[in-house]
Amino acid sequence: PENLMAKPTLVWLAENGLVDSFDSRIGPYDEATTASTGGDIGANGDVMVDWDSQINGSIKAGDAIYEGSGVTVTGAKVPEAATQEFPVITPDGTPSGDLWVSSGSQSLGAGTYHFLNMFFENNTSLLLTGAPVTIYVSGWVSLGSNVIIGSHPGTKLRLITKSDGLPTESATFQAGDNLRFYGILYGKNTDVYLGAN
């Protein structure tokens, strides 16, 4: 397809991805027994799902839906859907700097954090030592491969990317292969790129 990187507010899921949902009140996530079909994805721009990925839910795109071979979508596919308004969330105060993890893990206790950028290199993790944890990121979120963010249940973590700018000031959430993310990701005018697996 045309240059997707230049399009605003898109979601791009690389090959062998899996999106689903589960109710954390009934126990830990298990793909075979607790996963359900509420794993919807959507964007006000394009949605691109690479080959052999599975969406246990629906896809809704303000522009086009691109999908590779072997993609399974259990719900509806709705291209050129009406765009959705997302509330602006503005954090208090200013960022404290970057959260950069180059090896091992970073622990955060219960509370609210505000960073300029968030970088996790390959094979690193974010551990939560208390809950709830809310992280505001005003710039980039860049996660390498084999990164784990949060833990079960996903209700302990909220990651909110910049949402107080103009539509032309998109933020980016970019993750490498084999990401494990346990939490809520929210971002108005945020492009989301998820690596394989």
Side-chain angles (χ1 to χ4, degrees):
E2 68 265 23
N3 184 2
L4 291 174
M5 299 294 276
K7 291 203 154 216
T9 58
L10 64 88
V11 172
W12 191 337
L13 180 66
E15 65 271 4
N16 299 309
L18 170 64
V19 177
D20 61 15
S21 65
F22 81 108
D23 185 342
S24 62
R25 295 172 296 183
I26 62 174
Y29 171 81
D30 178 74
E31 185 178 343
T33 60
T34 63
S36 68
T37 59
D40 302 330
I41 62 174
N44 282 338
D46 293 325
V47 173
M48 182 168 187
V49 181
D50 285 344
W51 48 269
D52 293 334
S53 291
Q54 181 168 339
I55 309 300
N56 290 331
S58 298
I59 299 175
K60 186 174 175 182
D63 290 323
I65 297 173
Y66 299 97
E67 57 184 281
S69 64
V71 170
T72 301
V73 179
T74 62
K77 293 186 271 187
V78 185
E80 299 183 18
T83 58
Q84 301 292 308
E85 277 300 312
F86 291 87
V88 172
I89 299 175
T90 304
D92 294 332
T94 58
S96 62
D98 291 338
L99 174 58
W100 194 303
V101 179
S102 59
S103 64
S105 63
Q106 172 70 47
S107 296
L108 293 178
T112 300
Y113 302 86
H114 187 182
F115 300 106
L116 181 59
N117 298 294
M118 184 170 151
F119 301 104
F120 278 69
E121 296 188 18
N122 295 341
N123 306 305
T124 57
S125 60
L126 174 65
L127 305 175
L128 307 180
T129 60
V133 173
T134 299
I135 302 171
Y136 294 99
V137 181
S138 297
W140 276 74
V141 175
S142 179
L143 309 175
S145 294
N146 304 307
V147 171
I148 299 171
I149 301 293
S151 60
H152 173 77
T155 54
K156 293 180 180 179
L157 174 65
R158 291 189 318 152
L159 177 58
I160 302 170
T161 61
K162 181 178 176 62
S163 69
D164 57 352
L166 299 172
T168 56
E169 297 176 340
S170 293
T172 300
F173 178 97
Q174 184 168 354
D177 298 342
N178 305 310
L179 170 69
R180 291 284 183 188
F181 182 89
Y182 300 92
I184 297 166
L185 170 63
Y186 180 86
K188 183 173 182 175
N189 303 321
T190 299
D191 292 336
V192 178
Y193 304 91
L194 300 177
N197 307 312

